[in-house]
Amino acid sequence: MNSQEIEGLKQLLSTSKKIVIVSHLNPDGDAVGSTLALYHYLLKYNHDTTVILPNNFPNFLKWIPGADNILIYDYLSDVSNVKIKEAEVIFTLDFNALHRTGNMEKPLKESQALKIMIDHHQTPEGYANFTFSDVSMSSTCEMIYHFLDMLKDTDSIDSTIATCLYVGIMTDTGSFKFDCTSSTTHHIIAQLIDKGANNSEIHNFVYDTNSYERLQLLGCALKNLKVLPEYRTAYTSLSQKELNRFNYKKGDTEGVVNYGLSIDNVVLAAIFIEDSQEGIIKISLRSKGQLSVNELSRDHFNGGGHNNAAGGKSYLSLKDTIEKFISILPSYKKALNNE
Ligand code: 5GP
Ligand code: MN
């Protein structure tokens, strides 16, 4: 975003507008954190602001200030459609292709609102009037901080906004340990703590509210874990039956894929999760080094994401999906060995 665009946006936001903020399907900490941070910011300037997410989000994010005010499109599509239709401005956060919003894609496409994209995924679509896209950023929450900085308005960040931003930066960086964590990320986190984000409380709320069943489900995934040393790959799966046995709830499998990547000499990890209701296998992929799981997912599993963290889906059975995954590994052997 250049200075002319920033001036344009400042002008636009200088009078009260009807604003909708949306994010992607299966919202994660960065999706919920960034939309709510911007929501609280825009409310300060008396904008009529609504956050709409395509489907429900995990319980460990429900405590975030403002979460109760989020409209879930799956449950409240009529009200949401009216909001989208009436919106003058729509912010699209933490995704860059409209199909990532599921059933919201059509109303968003039809909307006449001015669209502003803020996102850190690769290859953005050109649907927005203003595009702030940076793949080097740790998270969309970090970008919201930069966005407010560009507006010369970080002074408006109070403890509520700081808390929302902290959540997304923390979850998208794996608690500040992934490659995408820069010294700037840490500087911003320091600012957020100074502004009132309670770091230890936030960690507790997000990571230390496990149910016994969730840990049993993790145990099941670890038991199913297989390693292919020749391809420096680890993969695991959870069938619908296994999910049911441990009373699976949304968010319960978050982070499980990372265990495979923690094995010495493993540079590619995958988890395959059966979803009978949707009739798909949901796939999460993580890598270390050169291998782009974004490309792997785009090329073979109808998905995308970042170089080292991506997701996708398959319409084959669980068994056939895993077989397909194993069968494509030889074509990535070079990247797998040149970590
Ligand atoms: P996760 O594996 O945690 O669901 O997602 C990892 C990354 O890949 C996230 O940045 C997420 O937005 C992206 N991602 C996950 N699933 C999909 C998908 O089906 N399509 C695309 N394009 N990106 C995905
Ligand atoms: Mn993100």
Side-chain angles (χ1 to χ4, degrees):
M1 234 181 240
N2 59 37
S3 53
Q4 210 180 337
E5 287 177 306
I6 287 293
E7 276 314 309
L9 278 179
K10 254 187 181 168
Q11 190 66 31
L12 179 82
L13 297 175
S14 65
T15 53
S16 172
K17 293 278 180 311
K18 289 194 176 97
I19 300 181
V20 161
I21 308 170
V22 300
S23 192
H24 58 79
L25 212 54
N26 301 323
D28 55 9
D30 195 27
V32 180
S34 61
T35 52
L36 286 177
L38 189 60
Y39 166 77
H40 291 295
Y41 174 77
L42 293 171
L43 283 186
K44 285 191 168 211
Y45 289 92
N46 297 316
H47 295 291
D48 173 353
T49 313
T50 310
V51 175
I52 310 175
L53 297 175
N55 61 350
N56 204 358
F57 54 95
N59 283 339
F60 60 78
L61 301 173
K62 294 269 157 94
W63 63 271
I64 302 176
D68 287 346
N69 300 338
I70 293 176
L71 293 183
I72 303 292
Y73 191 85
D74 259 6
Y75 304 155
L76 292 167
S77 56
D78 288 350
V79 188
S80 304
N81 281 332
V82 172
K83 288 283 182 192
I84 292 171
K85 203 163 184 178
E86 288 180 349
E88 296 162 274
V89 178
I90 296 182
F91 281 90
T92 73
L93 306 186
D94 201 36
F95 72 92
N96 60 23
L98 285 178
H99 72 87
R100 293 281 292 130
T101 60
N103 295 331
M104 287 168 70
E105 181 179 4
K106 191 162 170 276
L108 287 175
K109 262 190 179 151
E110 287 169 1
S111 147
Q112 298 298 308
L114 188 125
K115 297 194 182 82
I116 303 163
M117 178 206 296
I118 302 179
D119 178 61
H120 64 135
H121 293 86
Q122 301 196 341
T123 54
E125 274 181 359
Y127 62 78
N129 304 78
F130 292 88
T131 298
F132 179 23
S133 159
D134 188 342
V135 296
S136 74
M137 287 284 157
S138 70
S139 52
T140 301
C141 279
E142 181 168 341
M143 295 179 76
I144 297 285
Y145 184 95
H146 289 296
F147 179 61
L148 300 186
D149 196 26
M150 289 190 277
L151 294 175
K152 303 212 169 18
D153 204 9
T154 52
D155 282 350
S156 287
I157 300 179
D158 56 17
S159 65
T160 304
I161 297 173
T163 299
C164 298
L165 292 179
Y166 190 102
V167 172
I169 299 176
M170 177 187 81
T171 54
D172 260 26
T173 58
S175 298
F176 321 110
K177 67 173 182 280
F178 296 154
D179 252 6
C180 59
T181 315
S182 64
S183 65
T184 307
T185 315
H186 283 284
H187 281 297
I188 291 173
I189 282 294
Q191 297 285 325
L192 298 179
I193 292 172
D194 285 345
K195 287 174 184 293
N198 186 330
N199 54 323
S200 106
E201 200 175 270
I202 295 171
H203 277 261
N204 257 322
F205 286 157
V206 173
Y207 295 118
D208 296 341
T209 50
N210 277 325
S211 64
Y212 178 66
E213 283 164 322
R214 184 181 181 191
L215 292 186
Q216 297 288 101
L217 184 69
L218 170 63
C220 180
L222 295 179
K223 220 170 168 177
N224 293 345
L225 190 67
K226 305 267 186 312
V227 182
L228 303 170
E230 193 189 348
Y231 298 111
R232 305 174 78 191
T233 295
Y235 68 91
T236 187
S237 63
L238 287 167
S239 67
Q240 186 67 62
K241 217 170 137 191
E242 288 167 328
L243 295 169
N244 295 348
R245 190 184 328 148
F246 299 110
N247 195 20
Y248 166 80
K249 288 190 199 63
K250 206 167 193 59
D252 280 355
T253 55
E254 200 92 4
V256 176
V257 63
N258 294 313
Y259 285 90
L261 210 57
S262 73
I263 299 170
D264 187 28
N265 208 31
V266 163
V267 295
L268 171 63
I271 185 166
F272 303 92
I273 302 169
E274 188 173 32
D275 183 337
S276 303
Q277 204 182 336
E278 298 275 324
I280 59 165
I281 307 299
K282 185 78 191 93
I283 303 163
S284 282
L285 297 161
R286 300 290 185 268
S287 67
K288 276 182 187 164
Q290 228 186 53
L291 182 86
S292 166
V293 282
N294 170 47
E295 276 174 35
L296 193 154
S297 190
R298 270 174 200 278
D299 291 349
H300 301 282
F301 294 114
N302 315 291
H306 311 281
N307 274 338
N308 297 124
K313 54 183 176 290
S314 154
Y315 299 96
L316 303 170
S317 68
L318 185 57
K319 184 169 165 282
D320 289 351
T321 303
I322 293 172
E323 274 173 18
K324 175 176 171 180
F325 174 70
I326 294 171
S327 77
I328 62 175
L329 291 178
S331 57
Y332 291 94
K333 205 161 178 192
K334 207 165 154 226
L336 286 165
N337 286 316
N338 288 332
E339 184 195 335

